[in-house]
Amino acid sequence: MLQTSVKPHSQPDPGYSDEALGHYCGLAGIRSRHEADVSRDLFYMLFAQQHRGQEACGIAWDAAGRVMVDKRLGMVSGSAERWLGSPVRSKAGIGHVRYATHGGGGIANAQPLAVSCIKGELALGHNGNLSNGGAIRSALFQQGAIFQTTSDSELFLHRISRSPKQGLEETLRDALSGVEGAYSLAMLWDGALIAARDPMGFRPLHLARRDDTWYVASETCALRALGILSWREIEPGECVVIDDTGPRSFFLPPAQKKARCIFELIYFARPDSYIFGRSVYGSRKALGAAIADLDELKPDVVIPVPDSGTLAAMGYSERSGVPFAMGLTRNHYAGRSFILPNKGERELAVRMKLHAVEEVVNGKCVVIVDDSLVRGTTSGIIVRLLKEAGAKEVHLRLSSPELKWPCYYGIDIPTREELISNSLDEKGIAEHIGADSVRFLPVAATRACLNAPNGEYCCACFDGNHPCQLKDC
Ligand code: SF4
């Protein structure tokens, strides 16, 4: 029987900003030729990827062909220390951190999901979102399927269970055919670890080896956390099966184009990670340098919105020669921002968390850099903070294009009406937030500096060119 244990936990701190975008998840997987403390290594791999999801975390492991699961609400640290204290020994395990919006929160939607079915005992962790998930769910429902969650991830398990094909590879090929959108998967099946990436390659997934053990992770920072310093990207459309004989790959039919999520490089991934073969740190600095190239301003100082704009501001400073300084500091002890009922209280919450440094900005023409602009509410408060501290001029620079469109592939972006760039241009936004000017990095310049040609990267939330359309039913 599957064993599931769950533990509730309070909600995490969502940060000081209503500008934050949500991500749907991070994955980890381990397969060794001998039994090891898998829960311990999974703990550290998930801990390193906590930024990809804070609502819930979980692990599943193979216990002599049976699948065991332990899921927790809340963050890895604080909820899942028992994975360290009394580590589970096994040859195979997977782990997942979850951000909840699509499909709702709660332990039922926490992952890994585990089932016992005609194909055996399976556990699955999923990063991404299916653009035809609604249509698949509706068809399965009509056929009598019973769902235990409201997330897309469960659809994979239904399709595997119902596939008429035999054998792991043929069944997976069949189950994944007709599934559209973003999926990076880590699965346990018959004692094997399976890692799969959709043919467009929306979400990252990496494979590494140390001695007789193979590791799978969304981000390379999770591998570094274990002291593993070399890895390879699992290719779009590649499925890797790892058992006692080691890894073997097969490929799904190729997509007409790739659609790696450019926002992973701009915003989501941890700066010390490599994503799509690129350094996130270097990418963010290059984006900042690209804004400096387009800027005709001669400011006295460039400052970041901490921490999201720090690397881009450094890139701006290095390219332009304008001194970099921390003109805003962040109170790391301010705790959680509750949903505050009115504008005054929301402003107070930001003021408790961000502080302008008068010594840096007083009497200066200031360029402030952030990675993106969502609703614009926090930016308005930041501009006020800087002007109160004596800044003569405040110019906001964004190291990404205007965010205007929804994402169907696993990123939680507010509605089009809420996105400030849909109602105001740069001049209008500057007036709205009280800045002296606002400039975004154009889509073409963003692609160019990330070496992200059309047909290889998704930029749909910026340009509206969605690589696969939403099919609800
Ligand atoms: S729409 Fe934006 S956030 Fe979503 S996958 Fe494409 S680039 Fe990434």
Side-chain angles (χ1 to χ4, degrees):
M1 291 295 291
L2 302 178
Q3 177 187 306
T4 304
S5 108
V6 295
K7 176 178 178 253
H9 193 272
S10 59
Q11 286 290 305
D13 177 8
Y16 60 82
S17 172
D18 62 352
E19 295 292 284
L21 300 174
H23 202 294
Y24 285 132
C25 309
L27 297 171
I30 300 172
R31 180 62 167 85
S32 183
R33 287 203 170 109
H34 47 79
E35 289 205 336
D37 293 341
V38 286
S39 66
R40 175 185 163 281
D41 283 358
L42 288 170
F43 178 97
Y44 289 120
M45 293 175 81
L46 294 179
F47 186 83
Q49 299 183 98
Q50 191 74 81
H51 57 287
R52 296 184 75 85
Q54 300 95 41
E55 199 255 353
C57 56
I59 59 171
W61 63 94
D62 178 78
R66 321 305 305 264
V67 167
M68 314 292 275
V69 185
D70 187 15
K71 300 194 284 190
R72 312 255 145 183
L73 287 179
M75 294 199 275
V76 180
S77 168
S79 306
E81 265 90 1
R82 64 179 281 187
W83 302 345
L84 288 178
S86 30
V88 171
R89 289 190 66 76
S90 172
K91 288 163 94 172
I94 58 171
H96 189 270
V97 285
R98 180 166 201 270
Y99 168 88
T101 287
H102 182 81
I107 202 69
N109 281 324
Q111 297 188 22
L113 301 175
V115 293
S116 180
C117 68
I118 188 82
K119 297 290 193 313
E121 290 194 9
L122 298 150
L124 174 139
H126 170 208
N127 176 206
N129 205 41
L130 305 183
S131 51
N132 67 344
I136 293 174
R137 175 177 287 267
S138 171
L140 285 165
F141 200 72
Q142 295 299 324
Q143 293 161 20
I146 296 167
F147 292 99
Q148 297 201 353
T149 76
T150 49
S151 83
D152 278 356
S153 313
E154 191 179 1
L155 304 177
F156 292 100
L157 296 169
H158 281 279
R159 286 180 67 89
I160 289 169
S161 174
R162 287 162 178 257
S163 169
K165 302 289 182 185
Q166 296 301 316
L168 190 152
E169 181 175 330
E170 286 311 306
T171 303
L172 259 185
R173 283 184 191 280
D174 182 56
L176 296 178
S177 69
V179 174
E180 294 172 11
Y183 59 87
S184 282
L185 303 175
M187 293 178 59
L188 292 181
W189 186 354
D190 270 349
L193 168 65
I194 299 158
R197 195 164 164 215
D198 69 75
M200 290 191 172
F202 282 98
R203 301 280 148 236
L205 197 59
H206 296 88
L207 175 67
R209 176 184 186 175
R210 183 166 61 189
D211 303 324
D212 273 349
T213 305
W214 285 263
Y215 299 86
V216 167
S218 296
E219 289 191 32
T220 60
C221 64
L223 302 167
R224 272 187 187 274
L226 299 181
I228 299 167
L229 304 180
S230 67
W231 49 75
R232 76 164 175 89
E233 193 180 355
I234 293 176
E235 296 297 322
E238 183 178 2
C239 301
V240 186
V241 181
I242 311 167
D243 56 22
D244 278 343
T245 64
R248 61 186 185 279
S249 290
F250 64 92
F251 285 83
L252 302 171
Q256 288 195 331
K257 55 185 173 184
K258 306 284 185 291
R260 296 174 175 91
C261 171
I262 204 163
F263 229 163
E264 292 273 357
L265 290 166
I266 294 169
Y267 176 92
F268 289 113
R270 220 171 79 168
D272 57 326
S273 284
Y274 285 74
I275 295 288
F276 312 137
R278 290 188 63 89
S279 152
V280 175
Y281 181 94
S283 298
R284 289 184 190 161
K285 282 185 72 180
L287 290 163
I291 325 172
D293 283 341
L294 298 176
D295 215 342
E296 62 287 341
L297 268 182
K298 294 282 173 246
D300 299 311
V301 65
V302 55
I303 67 170
V305 173
D307 300 312
S308 51
T310 303
L311 294 176
M314 284 168 62
Y316 186 109
S317 169
E318 284 175 19
R319 179 62 59 86
S320 62
V322 175
F324 171 93
M326 293 303 290
L328 284 170
T329 60
R330 183 176 169 187
N331 180 353
H332 291 274
Y333 302 98
R336 186 178 176 212
S337 297
F338 294 94
I339 296 165
L340 298 169
N342 65 53
K343 203 174 151 198
E345 288 178 53
R346 281 196 295 273
E347 174 146 350
L348 192 59
V350 176
R351 285 172 179 273
M352 290 299 103
K353 296 188 174 187
L354 284 179
H355 320 112
V357 182
E358 201 176 318
E359 189 184 337
V360 173
V361 302
N362 190 16
K364 306 262 180 69
C365 171
V366 177
V367 158
I368 180 159
V369 180
D370 205 352
D371 57 9
S372 53
L373 192 65
V374 185
R375 296 180 175 89
T377 37
T378 305
S379 305
I381 300 169
I382 288 173
V383 172
R384 276 199 290 287
L385 284 174
L386 294 171
K387 293 219 164 171
E388 283 167 15
K392 205 169 57 188
E393 294 175 30
V394 177
H395 302 268
L396 177 63
R397 298 292 179 263
L398 291 313
S399 61
S400 66
E402 288 107 319
L403 194 57
K404 290 186 170 180
W405 297 87
C407 173
Y408 308 140
Y409 320 115
I411 304 302
D412 180 25
I413 293 177
T415 62
R416 292 201 69 199
E417 293 68 40
E418 293 173 279
L419 296 172
I420 192 168
S421 293
N422 276 321
S423 51
L424 297 170
D425 61 9
E426 289 177 339
K427 191 161 172 290
I429 294 171
E431 279 168 18
H432 182 75
I433 67 173
D436 293 276
S437 73
V438 171
R439 286 203 69 174
F440 294 86
L441 194 61
V443 175
T446 305
R447 282 187 184 278
C449 91
L450 295 180
N451 190 21
N454 217 345
E456 289 292 322
Y457 279 76
C458 175
C459 286
C461 50
F462 301 124
D463 63 15
N465 293 321
H466 288 87
C468 39
Q469 290 302 320
L470 190 64
K471 294 175 192 159
D472 260 344
C473 43

